[in-house]
Amino acid sequence: MEALLRWAAELGVSDSPSAPSPSSCLGRSLLIADFPDAGGRGLAAARDLRRGELVLRAPRAALLTSDRVMDDDHRIASSVASHLPRLSSVQTLIICLLSEVGKGNSSNWYLYLSQLPSYYTILATFNDFETEALQVDEAIWVAQKALRGIRSDWEEATPLMKGLGFKPKLLMFKSWIWAFATVSSRTLHIAWDDAGCLCPIGDLFNYAAPNDDNSSTDEDRDDMMHQETNKMLDQTDFDSSEKLTDGGYEDVNEYRLYARKRYRKGEQVLLAYGTYTNLELLEHYGFLLGENPNEKIYIPLDLDLCMIGSWPRDSLYILPNGHPSFALLCALRLWTTPRNRRKALSHQIYSGSLLSVESELEILKWLVKKCKETLQQLPTTIEFDDNLLVLLCKLQNSTSCITEMNRSIFEQEFAPFFRFHGFKLDCSIHSKLPVRLLRSLERWGLAVQWRCNYKRTLTKSS
């Protein structure tokens, strides 16, 4: 990591407006730190930071992009050009990434590539057992669809990679899905390439969900006033501070990232990648949040309810607090209105107005019943899942509870897990699970955590 920080500094990556130190690109605003309960390795504030303050900048030369790799390797550029427009921008970046991996320590990006995770936990990496553990049909379908899409992209790109002489290991689907997960979970947005860019050091920020609930503190508001004052005093220096949170690739030809709120020294500095539900976070990034303000829970709805009105299906959901979304509430109001009165009342319904207390109570009664029915159709309860999740976490971090596994109430859960992996459990006190099973336990745990959150939200509605 120290070598990576020196290399990044040589490329001009810095956590301050001034030039970086030759020995490290960090230390003035940020430090690498470990946050075991909040994303693992991440970036901490090296000092108190104001909201909107520049915390990291990376010049274009430090960004791993398709065009950068192809500028340095004309064979790849020529091969990709001959396959356009069939290849997507993501496929192109994956090919470029795998090409650099294949060069080993002769790659210009070797120090960065050697620090990337060896495995990921995005939905497409879930095996059949882990996917079924999601329990909810919609989530299972999303996982299966993601895997099919990635496999199709790999099959389409394989002839090109063979023509470029990629090593057999890099031609395997396992390598492709690793590269896809790297691109999916670590790229930052750039205007000239839909696939985005890989930004050394910039991809160490862990995630904070965007929340537009006006929860800014008095200190945050003071910081914004301070920035506006400085901007008026020095327009040249403060043009980039118009974007007070997160960041992007700016006219100064570098990627700039800003503190999204005030941070105290030692606190983890987080970045909002975008607005995602937990299922979307799991699909694209391989994690989820215990409390996600942007969560959307979908329940099975009658076809005529989905078709009524002009609301799209993805707007009909349950909010994290258990309440129906505006569109779902309006659709239910219209659906429960007698057909001969819908036209007369449609304007009132579309404006979000309550028709009557009686009809509202009828709607809520129907919604409670629907949520209870959905919960009853799932094979396990929240209480069971919570206890299973505790045991899965213990198994990932300790071998002491392995001997208890076969004696626990979860024996029926673990038996098919070990059969799926073709593994016979040795319950001796010194028994350890192999790495592949520990990784599978991690993904299984994510599936159980997701379905727990799903059920907990439905419980609030019922």
Side-chain angles (χ1 to χ4, degrees):
M1 182 56 71
E2 290 180 0
L4 174 64
L5 296 178
R6 286 194 301 272
W7 170 80
E10 292 172 2
L11 291 177
V13 178
S14 177
D15 64 347
S16 73
S18 57
S21 163
S23 60
S24 176
C25 62
L26 301 181
R28 301 181 188 183
S29 300
L30 302 170
L31 294 170
I32 293 176
D34 189 45
F35 301 92
D37 300 321
R41 185 172 68 178
L43 294 170
R47 55 180 174 80
D48 291 350
L49 299 172
R50 297 192 310 274
R51 184 181 186 219
E53 187 174 355
L54 177 70
V55 293
L56 191 73
R57 58 187 185 87
R60 185 162 181 169
L63 307 179
L64 199 168
T65 60
S66 297
D67 57 352
R68 177 72 191 280
V69 172
M70 290 190 291
D71 284 345
D72 295 337
D73 194 326
H74 298 298
R75 286 183 65 247
I76 293 180
S78 176
S79 295
V80 167
S82 67
H83 284 74
L84 293 176
R86 294 194 306 276
L87 286 181
S88 69
S89 56
V90 171
Q91 285 173 298
T92 301
L93 183 54
I94 289 174
I95 291 168
C96 291
L97 175 60
L98 289 174
S99 172
E100 291 299 318
V101 170
K103 294 176 183 177
N105 58 14
S106 65
S107 168
N108 294 331
W109 306 94
Y110 174 72
L111 288 173
Y112 169 64
L113 297 175
S114 64
Q115 289 294 324
L116 290 175
S118 60
Y119 77 102
Y120 293 91
T121 54
I122 64 171
L123 269 184
T125 65
F126 281 33
N127 60 40
D128 290 344
F129 178 89
E130 297 150 7
T131 298
E132 291 297 324
L134 293 164
Q135 294 186 349
V136 179
D137 288 343
E138 175 217 354
I140 293 172
W141 178 81
V142 169
Q144 293 172 340
K145 179 185 176 186
L147 183 58
R148 285 195 302 269
I150 297 169
R151 185 176 293 278
S152 175
D153 285 349
W154 167 68
E155 290 172 347
E156 189 175 37
T158 296
L160 184 153
M161 294 188 292
K162 285 183 176 178
L164 287 169
F166 277 26
K167 297 175 182 176
K169 183 178 179 180
L170 295 177
L171 293 173
M172 296 172 62
F173 181 60
K174 182 179 179 181
S175 295
W176 181 270
I177 205 167
W178 172 86
F180 174 89
T182 299
V183 170
S184 176
S185 65
R186 306 184 78 84
T187 49
L188 300 177
H189 170 75
I190 49 177
W192 68 89
D193 190 336
D194 291 339
C197 68
L198 289 166
C199 179
I201 310 304
D203 60 4
L204 293 177
F205 286 97
N206 286 321
Y207 177 78
N211 195 344
D212 297 326
D213 61 358
N214 299 317
S215 59
S216 299
T217 64
D218 291 338
E219 290 177 333
D220 287 335
R221 286 187 281 274
D222 289 343
D223 287 343
M224 287 187 280
M225 291 177 64
H226 173 77
Q227 290 170 358
E228 288 302 316
T229 301
N230 280 332
K231 183 179 174 184
M232 288 186 290
L233 293 174
D234 189 349
Q235 184 69 32
T236 302
D237 288 344
F238 257 83
D239 277 345
S240 62
S241 69
E242 288 183 0
K243 184 172 287 187
L244 292 177
T245 57
D246 301 335
Y249 191 85
E250 300 183 355
D251 293 338
V252 288
N253 289 324
E254 61 184 18
Y255 219 102
R256 290 191 168 191
L257 298 170
Y258 301 91
R260 65 191 323 269
K261 70 180 189 71
R262 177 172 287 211
Y263 292 99
R264 298 300 181 191
K265 182 179 180 179
E267 280 188 294
Q268 181 171 195
V269 180
L270 300 168
L271 182 69
Y273 312 152
T275 301
Y276 296 99
T277 66
N278 269 341
L279 187 59
E280 290 168 336
L281 285 174
L282 203 51
E283 178 183 2
H284 300 294
Y285 298 100
F287 67 87
L288 45 80
L289 303 175
E291 297 290 335
N292 187 348
N294 304 301
E295 181 66 309
K296 299 175 183 178
I297 297 298
Y298 294 93
I299 57 175
L301 298 173
D302 296 342
L303 183 60
D304 55 342
L305 173 56
C306 295
M307 299 294 290
I308 201 168
S310 58
W311 299 282
R313 174 66 182 91
D314 61 4
S315 68
L316 308 177
Y317 55 84
I318 307 294
L319 294 164
N321 60 9
H323 297 169
S325 66
F326 176 80
L328 178 56
L329 182 58
C330 291
L332 286 168
R333 285 171 176 166
L334 188 61
W335 187 54
T336 54
T337 300
R339 289 181 181 275
N340 60 352
R341 299 191 62 203
R342 286 178 182 176
K343 186 174 182 180
L345 296 174
S346 61
H347 178 73
Q348 190 176 345
I349 291 172
Y350 274 84
S351 67
S353 300
L354 183 146
L355 297 180
S356 69
V357 174
E358 292 78 12
S359 66
E360 205 74 0
L361 288 174
E362 192 66 27
I363 288 170
L364 294 178
K365 183 180 177 181
W366 180 91
L367 190 60
V368 167
K369 180 182 177 182
K370 193 68 175 179
C371 289
K372 284 183 176 179
E373 288 175 352
T374 303
L375 284 168
Q376 289 169 358
Q377 289 170 1
L378 297 174
T380 57
T381 64
I382 298 176
E383 293 75 21
F384 182 91
D385 291 346
D386 281 336
N387 290 325
L388 175 59
L389 194 57
V390 170
L391 183 55
L392 289 173
C393 291
K394 286 181 180 178
L395 283 169
Q396 292 176 60
N397 299 300
S398 170
T399 60
S400 60
C401 60
I402 291 180
T403 55
E404 304 171 15
M405 195 185 307
N406 281 356
R407 298 194 298 269
S408 76
I409 61 172
F410 305 109
E411 182 179 354
Q412 62 177 353
E413 296 285 320
F414 284 101
F417 171 78
F418 288 118
R419 280 200 304 271
F420 180 87
H421 288 282
F423 181 80
K424 186 174 181 180
L425 181 66
D426 176 6
C427 289
S428 67
I429 194 168
H430 299 295
S431 175
K432 291 184 179 181
L433 295 176
V435 172
R436 64 183 178 88
L437 260 69
L438 289 174
R439 291 177 178 177
S440 184
L441 283 174
E442 183 180 358
R443 295 188 295 268
W444 184 12
L446 285 169
V448 174
Q449 187 182 350
W450 182 86
R451 78 194 195 204
C452 273
N453 291 346
Y454 178 92
K455 295 172 186 177
R456 197 164 283 116
T457 301
L458 291 187
T459 302
K460 293 176 184 177
S461 293
S462 58

